Amino acid sequence: MAEPFAVQVTVRGYETDALGHLNQSVYLQYAEHARWSILQAAGVSPSELLAKGVGPVVLETTIRYLRELRAGDEVQVTCAFEWGEGKTFRIAQTILRTDGTVSAEVASVGGLMDLRERRLVADPQGYFRALAREPELFGL
């Protein structure tokens, strides 16, 4: 199995809380950054999605915090799509320190929303497959 897509991030001091730990909300920002980065790497731009009248939405997110992060820590944020049947898909993400220690696991349920109808599209895989120059990054 291929390695999941990943982006590098350095924890910045202003992202930490009063205890010196990465603020809990920033984990969501790192996960979001990785999701937009995989779209870009696959060749899917936000303007293309808008031109098609669709946009990605997050329907549910669960975060498991396992090890603290502090300012200056270098981390890798992975992103792997998991496809099933229907209108939704799952995205599994891991935030890892450079030594391989897992800091957090992020599990999301997403979909593609038809921006005119305000409903999820029936075949999100088809949209990603058609738009992507590198659909294999999405596991397609």
Side-chain angles (χ1 to χ4, degrees), residues 93-114:
Q93 297 182 265
T94 305
I95 300 175
L96 303 132
R97 290 189 199 146
T98 54
D99 68 2
T101 301
V102 176
S103 177
E105 297 171 337
V106 181
S108 301
V109 175
L112 272 181
M113 180 180 283
D114 180 312

Side-chain angles (χ1 to χ4, degrees), residues 4-5 35 77-82 89-94 105-109:
F5 177 84
R35 291 192 301 268
V77 185
T78 68
C79 190
F81 280 66
E82 300 170 356
F89 49 86
R90 296 188 176 276
I91 303 174
Q93 297 182 265
T94 305
E105 297 171 337
V106 181
S108 301
V109 175

Side-chain angles (χ1 to χ4, degrees), residues 43-124:
V44 179
S45 72
S47 60
E48 284 179 287
L49 290 170
L50 289 174
K52 293 282 187 190
V54 298
V57 293
V58 175
L59 303 167
E60 175 183 316
T61 299
T62 303
I63 304 173
R64 292 186 63 224
Y65 303 99
L66 301 168
R67 295 290 184 271
E68 67 184 3
L69 291 174
R70 295 185 172 274
D73 284 348
E74 299 281 337
V75 296
Q76 182 180 65
V77 185
T78 68
C79 190
F81 280 66
E82 300 170 356
W83 301 98
E85 299 297 319
K87 297 177 180 182
T88 63
F89 49 86
R90 296 188 176 276
I91 303 174
Q93 297 182 265
T94 305
I95 300 175
L96 303 132
R97 290 189 199 146
T98 54
D99 68 2
T101 301
V102 176
S103 177
E105 297 171 337
V106 181
S108 301
V109 175
L112 272 181
M113 180 180 283
D114 180 312
L115 298 174
R116 286 178 280 285
E117 297 291 322
R118 307 309 287 178
R119 296 186 187 279
L120 295 178
V121 301
D123 182 19

